[in-house]
Amino acid sequence: MHTNAAINPMPAKPNHRHALIIGVDRAADPHLAPLVSAERDAQELAAALKAPACGFTVTLLLAEQATATAVRDRLIHLVATPSVDLIVIFCGHGVSLALSSGGNETFLATSDFRGDVARRDPTRFLSLGWLYEQVYAVDEPRSAIAVLDCCFAGDIAHAGKDALTIDLRAAIEQYRQQQRQLDPANRLRAIIAATGPHQKAAETATGGALAQALLAVLRGDKLLAEGEITIGHLDDYLKRHFAGQEQQPYTKIEGNYRLILADHRDRVAAQRAAAERQRHHTETQAMLARWRNHDSLGRAAELQRDFVGRAAELAAIQAHIEQLRPTGGYLLVTGVAGQGKSSVLASLRQTTDPPLPAYFIRFTPGPHEQAALLGHLIAELLEQHGLAEEALTYLASDASAITLRNSLTSLLDRLARQQPLTLIIDGLDQIPVQRDLGQRDLSFLPERLPAGVVIVIGTRPDDTLVPLTLQTQHCEYKLPPLSLSDFARLLERRGVSLSEADRLTLHSALHGNAFDLTFLATELQREASARDVQALIQRVIANPRDIFRPTIERLKREPDWDNVIEPALGVLLSAQEPLSAPALAGILAQKYHRVQDAITRLRGLLGEQDREGQPRYYLLHLKLIEYLKSEIFANDLTAYHDQLARWCERDLAQIWQPAQDSDEAERRAYAQTYL
């Protein structure tokens, strides 16, 4: 049951912001079809105006409570209140009638409205003329706004000119008021009507069009200006909102009193702060993605897949790390090429959750490898320690190696106060020696590490780290050869069955070199018969330094060796970067299926990494690269460099433009780096 009462209790202090809201779905007149949303719109507008952002005291008259007498009595009382800010809202039927006495009048259909009575006695009900005089033309309210969401609401535009008169005295007073101009100083008068004069308003399933537009503004669903909503802001919004629609509201506004209908400044500030956080988050994620190195991540994953055993070696490395922990410093894990340093460090990376921050330098590092290494380690540290949103503090798109070194040093100092840290850098011996220095420039690495921080470095036992070891705390762990028991596990994983004598002979002939033994296990897996296995074993024993020759000789017997397989090796040797099968097909000007078949046959020599769901291939190991350079392509690689250059130069003007096609994107990215 609806009651004729304010929605919210009266505040302790007088509130001079009042709203009278009327909602009628069903009037007494049987000729007026019931509405479905007028009362609901009135209730929603009442809730919005009473909310803290608007702060109005609300009187809501609904359904049978909204009689002409009830509305008239409450309105006259509110208009008489000094210094009041008043909003009157009507949601329901508007009815335009020809009066029995002559002329026309438009009425707001209260619950007791009957058209036949109104024609004979228009004073019984609420006419737009009477509402205009009581709300818009009176002197008392500081501000008065009439909102009419009904048919023919725009007829109020003419109400001040030929309004309904009751007697001569009222007519004279009306004339005098019309002659007086509204004094705009510190006052406000406004009419917001759902339609223009003589137009009907539409009701939709969601409600009256004007009511829904008002609700969007009052609730803050549509935030205008800085969040302080004035009648001017509302008027501008309605003009934009209804532009091009059949229903066009009518508005009339006079006066300069700045009435704040709703104050959503806090919400505007919150939205801006959220937008700024989102913008910052997007930028930080882009920066982290910029420095995450997919080659390093792919290399680590592939090394881990081939890892077998070496529990004793991992335990020894952990012991050396803890030995360095109190002072902080560098742990050098050294061993000859193929000793298994990279695989051991890839496994060490996985001993924690999340994995230890690590960077695996590729066999042919690019000119910016130092910066890439540092940026990748910083990105991993930030993500693992919940500092991703600070990426822009420590990283920049074009940061130099020295700038990134300083950032890494600062970040390590900060994090080391909270917990010990272990980082991994593998393949530092791949950084080329600078001719003018006669040694590798390691100035990009922090000279001193904070207590608790250990950086594990995988390198061959040469003078790689002489500049570093001269000035910082360090120790060395010489990685031993792959044990005979681990070789047995490796063969078992490959599904290769050898006698104990054969295992011992091969392990001794290859000096326990982890790469050579792993490669040999893969080749033994290919052999179909025991005789072929023994033949391969004998060839390896006879020439253990030439581990790749049996494989290359087998490949040379393939029909596509000259046209596809050898050229693919030459291109991969020249490219210095993993390439996809489509890229190889484009460079070699060969059909895709022939290149894919060649890749299948080269499986034992190629590494594979995933790049956004597409496999890319590279030569498996530095020992293989050195072998190919000296034995297969000793004379010249110029032809393959030329093929790469021609591939890059295709559509040269477009290489700096983004590409939707993944194959073309790969070509352009490669050309940007190397052409």
Side-chain angles (χ1 to χ4, degrees), residues 2-13:
H2 300 295
T3 58
N4 182 4
I7 285 183
N8 50 342
M10 293 296 292
K13 294 183 179 180

Side-chain angles (χ1 to χ4, degrees), residues 4 334 387:
N4 182 4
T334 60
L387 301 174

Side-chain angles (χ1 to χ4, degrees), residues 657-670:
Q657 302 301 319
Q660 298 299 319
D661 179 76
S662 60
D663 297 341
E664 178 60 13
E666 179 185 0
R667 185 191 72 83
R668 293 183 188 183
Y670 186 92

